[in-house]
Amino acid sequence: MSDLIETDVLIVGSGPAGTTAAALLSTHGIRNMMVTRFGWLADTPRAHITNQRTMEVMRDLGLEQAAIDVSSKQNLMANNVFCHSLTGEEFGRILAWGNHPARKADYELASPCSICDIPQTYLEPILFQAAAKRGTAVRMNAEFVALEQDAEQVTATIRDRLNGKTFKVRAKYLLGADGARSTVAEAIGLPMAGRLGLSASTNVIFKADLSKYVAHRPSVLYWILQPGLDIGGIGAGVLRMVRPWHEWQAIWGVDLDKCETNITHAEAEAALRKMIGDEDIPLTVTSTAVWTVNNMYAEQYSVGRVFCMGDAVHRHPPLNGLGSNTSIQDAFNLSWKLAAVLKEQAGAALLDSYSSERQPIGKQVVTRANRSIEDYPPIFEALGLIGAADAAGATAQIAARKAPTAEGKERRTKLYAAIQQKNYEFNTHGVELGQRYRASSAIVPDGTEEPAYTRDPELYFHPTTWPGARLPHVWLERDGQRVSSLDLCGKGRFVVLTGIGGDGWKAAAAVMAKRFGIEIEALTIGPSGCDAMDIYADWFRASEIEEDGCLLVRPDHHIAWRAFSAMPDAAAKLGEVLEKILARD
Ligand code: FDA
């Protein structure tokens, strides 16, 4: 049959989720094919905040440096500015993305990687190229139309958009990474909670050298609050840095019933000049588009042999910058499991853990991003933008906050508090990095209670080796090189981490690797003579186990199980645990 292509995993979509899954599967030696609707990748910069966990995935793929090379570094993301225009009065700032001196250490201590800003137009090609180079078969201009599946396989109908003809792809598994309007999620009837299209926003991409207005207060987002400006209902919009400081994106709310009508370049330019506050600055609008704000998540991520990821299962506004990050992390969770099942190292039931682990994260992210929208009106209200009869009234209210009166002080106090609340959009380190998998068949509890959070769990990351949590990062030394504890793990294999007196675990790992036909690396961490040197004794403090205990770390850096100390029946115990995780019982 000439119109039938066979592969092991068919990936629909080449956004952050699809390209990451393709790159990982190819790295793990799994035959896969990626089909995507258009002739190239993202053509607008959309996602940009690239958090530490995503950079850890890039590091695992060997792509961290490539990503760093195209990024704007953390220090350029330092502020979030609220102002009348870039040349006008500034109302306040908040230090963002871990740049507050009191937060910098939190970020530095938590990961070997830095948060950074990478427009989607720069990140996707890195992942795409790695996938294609490492073996992914790619078909562009190829649109998923329908699927049918049985116990053995999935057959997808794909339409070649260049000639209109359809062809079939038969795969063992299909990944729906086809974005917020996922046809795949619809085809398998994933149950969804929430609503799409709550409101609409316009995107204007433009070029202008704004260095003289922004370089002294570097930020990825400049909020413009300007009474009388005909944008965002109350004169509110955002200028977002795409490339410092000459390429930009402007975003403002538009009426939902106008969301099918795009604004013209001339209309966009007029608004931009007011937002910048400089009528003469050279400026070129390159594109305009409208997108809708969603509040929806899937209650389950898979049906049979079809698994959805990314915006297909979590659809939310860009606040907190979590969309692409979570999509990439979904792919990191599923890819090693698919590889293990396809290599017959694990039972198919391992794949059930994808939904039980990632769905609660998707729900959390959708909820967080939507709650961050609700934190803006108090800022507008404190400034007097809401409720004023007209632009002149609003302008007078903005000025009233500077009055040397009790009322003026009350306004100032409210504004400062409302801006501080935005820590829940710009500094949610706990949400970005603190994902713990609970109630999963691919995690074996150690009998201890989940450690309580000692600080706000959204704002602060709480490292722990409690099974289900991500392996804590500490710096170690190996072969004369500085390495992270995370560098010892990942790359598609299980790792047993132990220390002085942990030889029993090393022997057990060797026996079990043979028995299960999987790669398990067993490493000791401790003084010189160990596989990695705990040079600062940070591991001694962070591991939460005795030196002769062990951590079993999954290929995605999450702790699968831990033993607090040596066990006489180490091999039997490790075997029992792996049997459960790999669904081999
Ligand atoms: P995505 O939508 O990116 O990709 C879907 C892919 O599927 C595309 O390749 C598409 O062509 C393809 N496709 C669709 N239907 C198909 C079909 N039937 N057949 C074949 N192919 C099909 N996120 C973040 O982490 N940090 C941030 O700072 C921001 N900022 C941001 C700003 C703005 C303005 C927006 C609008 C969005 C963000 N995001 C973000 C969100 C981010 O852009 C979004 O979450 C990711 O693109 C989702 O990645 P996916 O791969 O899931 O879908």
Side-chain angles (χ1 to χ4, degrees):
M1 273 168 56
S2 60
D3 62 348
L4 178 73
I5 297 170
E6 295 209 44
T7 188
D8 284 340
V9 183
L10 173 64
I11 301 157
V12 179
S14 61
T19 49
T20 305
L24 284 163
L25 288 170
S26 287
T27 307
H28 298 330
I30 298 298
R31 190 168 62 138
N32 69 96
M33 176 176 177
M34 180 162 63
V35 293
T36 190
R37 182 191 272 154
F38 299 113
W40 187 231
L41 306 171
D43 60 356
T44 56
R46 293 184 294 151
H48 55 123
I49 307 297
T50 307
N51 66 34
Q52 289 172 297
R53 186 64 185 136
T54 292
M55 290 301 282
E56 289 171 5
V57 177
M58 298 301 282
R59 189 174 172 103
D60 188 80
L61 275 164
L63 300 174
E64 187 191 14
Q65 193 55 50
I68 291 172
D69 288 347
V70 296
S71 71
S72 298
K73 311 291 178 293
Q74 185 177 10
N75 64 321
L76 295 181
M77 306 161 75
N79 296 282
N80 200 78
V81 172
F82 297 90
C83 56
H84 181 270
S85 68
L86 290 188
T87 54
E89 183 185 8
E90 184 172 330
F91 308 127
R93 281 180 217 180
I94 179 169
L95 285 162
W97 312 114
N99 276 290
H100 192 292
R103 299 303 315 270
K104 265 191 183 155
D106 292 336
Y107 279 69
E108 262 188 44
L109 285 166
S111 172
C113 304
S114 292
I115 190 171
C116 60
D117 187 288
I118 310 178
Q120 201 160 331
T121 34
Y122 289 76
L123 187 65
E124 276 185 18
I126 294 173
L127 288 160
F128 179 87
Q129 191 188 26
K133 259 189 175 172
R134 296 176 192 187
T136 298
V138 184
R139 286 288 285 263
M140 315 293 286
N141 295 298
E143 184 172 22
F144 166 87
V145 180
L147 66 81
E148 44 195 55
Q149 60 170 323
D150 56 33
E152 307 295 322
Q153 62 198 17
V154 193
T155 306
T157 304
I158 310 293
R159 190 170 69 88
D160 184 331
R161 296 177 78 230
L162 297 181
N163 62 16
K165 289 185 182 162
T166 57
F167 59 96
K168 303 255 183 204
V169 181
R170 192 157 66 201
K172 292 186 181 126
Y173 294 98
L174 185 148
L175 309 188
D178 53 340
R181 292 183 189 160
S182 172
T183 321
V184 175
E186 204 182 316
I188 56 170
L190 284 189
M192 296 283 176
R195 279 179 53 206
L196 291 180
L198 295 178
S199 58
S201 285
T202 189
N203 256 6
V204 178
I205 314 290
F206 68 102
K207 291 190 174 161
D209 183 357
L210 303 179
S211 317
K212 62 181 168 182
Y213 302 130
V214 296
H216 65 289
R217 45 181 174 171
S219 169
V220 286
L221 298 173
Y222 298 82
W223 266 90
I224 309 295
L225 305 170
Q226 194 176 126
L229 182 56
D230 187 22
I231 60 166
I234 52 166
V238 182
L239 291 175
R240 175 205 141 185
M241 174 269 279
V242 176
R243 303 266 89 183
W245 305 106
H246 56 87
E247 218 177 303
W248 296 84
Q249 175 177 13
I251 305 168
W252 60 81
V254 290
D255 286 346
L256 203 48
D257 57 7
K258 288 190 196 141
C259 77
E260 296 304 325
T261 338
N262 205 351
I263 59 165
T264 64
H265 283 209
E267 286 167 337
E269 189 175 322
L272 292 176
R273 289 193 183 286
K274 292 203 167 69
M275 291 171 90
I276 297 165
D278 181 342
E279 289 291 332
D280 303 318
I281 194 150
L283 180 159
T284 311
V285 173
T286 52
S287 74
T288 63
V290 178
W291 49 278
T292 55
V293 171
N294 303 319
N295 182 352
M296 181 176 267
Y297 58 87
E299 288 171 316
Q300 168 193 327
Y301 280 12
S302 62
V303 172
R305 294 179 163 265
V306 180
F307 296 78
C308 284
M309 52 175 54
D311 276 15
V313 281
H314 34 80
R315 306 163 183 180
H316 54 87
L319 293 93
N320 293 74
L322 292 167
S324 163
N325 286 301
T326 310
S327 306
I328 286 170
Q329 294 150 21
D330 288 345
F332 197 45
N333 180 287
L334 182 59
S335 297
W336 72 267
K337 295 175 182 172
L338 273 173
V341 171
L342 284 163
K343 289 178 185 171
E344 297 184 354
Q345 296 166 339
L350 169 63
L351 301 175
D352 296 342
S353 65
Y354 168 65
S355 196
S356 51
E357 292 179 357
R358 294 304 298 173
Q359 194 279 341
I361 306 290
K363 181 179 175 185
Q364 177 198 18
V365 160
V366 171
T367 309
R368 176 64 262 161
N370 276 284
R371 219 183 290 144
S372 289
I373 293 187
E374 293 163 18
D375 288 336
Y376 278 104
I379 297 177
F380 306 155
E381 217 168 309
L383 276 169
L385 287 167
I386 296 177
D390 52 22
T395 304
Q397 294 220 46
I398 291 175
R401 86 183 193 290
K402 292 188 278 191
T405 58
E407 199 209 325
K409 185 176 175 193
E410 195 187 328
R411 281 175 185 275
R412 291 192 290 281
T413 309
K414 275 192 181 152
L415 179 62
Y416 300 150
I419 290 180
Q420 274 308 301
Q421 179 67 16
K422 294 312 292 175
N423 274 309
Y424 285 90
E425 178 177 353
F426 302 122
N427 293 301
T428 51
H429 199 212
V431 178
E432 290 162 19
L433 208 57
Q435 298 172 1
R436 295 179 183 172
Y437 299 147
R438 305 168 177 102
S440 159
S441 60
I443 302 291
V444 176
D446 64 358
T448 61
E449 288 285 312
E450 179 177 352
Y453 294 101
T454 52
R455 299 194 284 178
D456 187 312
E458 287 194 297
L459 296 180
Y460 297 95
F461 167 60
H462 293 68
T464 172
T465 61
W466 184 71
R470 164 189 155 281
L471 176 74
H473 150 74
V474 298
W475 287 117
L476 305 164
E477 195 164 299
R478 195 176 190 203
D479 302 329
Q481 302 286 322
R482 188 170 88 139
V483 294
S484 164
S485 45
L486 294 167
D487 296 332
L488 302 181
C489 305
K491 301 188 178 55
R493 72 218 202 290
F494 279 86
V495 173
V496 164
L497 296 178
T498 183
I500 300 262
D503 290 348
W505 294 115
K506 274 192 141 180
V511 172
M512 288 307 132
K514 224 175 194 174
R515 180 175 146 200
F516 288 99
I518 58 173
E519 198 184 338
I520 310 177
E521 187 156 14
L523 297 166
T524 50
I525 305 177
S528 64
C530 287
D531 298 309
M533 253 204 297
D534 187 15
I535 205 73
Y536 304 106
D538 283 342
W539 179 252
F540 187 78
R541 289 181 281 268
S543 68
E544 297 174 349
I545 53 171
E546 295 297 333
E547 291 168 292
D548 60 359
C550 89
L551 301 179
L552 176 64
V553 188
R554 303 192 325 190
D556 59 3
H557 307 150
H558 279 258
I559 310 288
W561 174 74
R562 67 181 171 179
F564 288 98
S565 51
M567 287 186 179
D569 54 348
K573 188 66 202 170
L574 196 60
E576 193 185 303
V577 163
L578 281 164
E579 242 171 45
K580 276 192 191 144
I581 292 164
L582 297 173
R584 289 275 288 258
D585 48 349

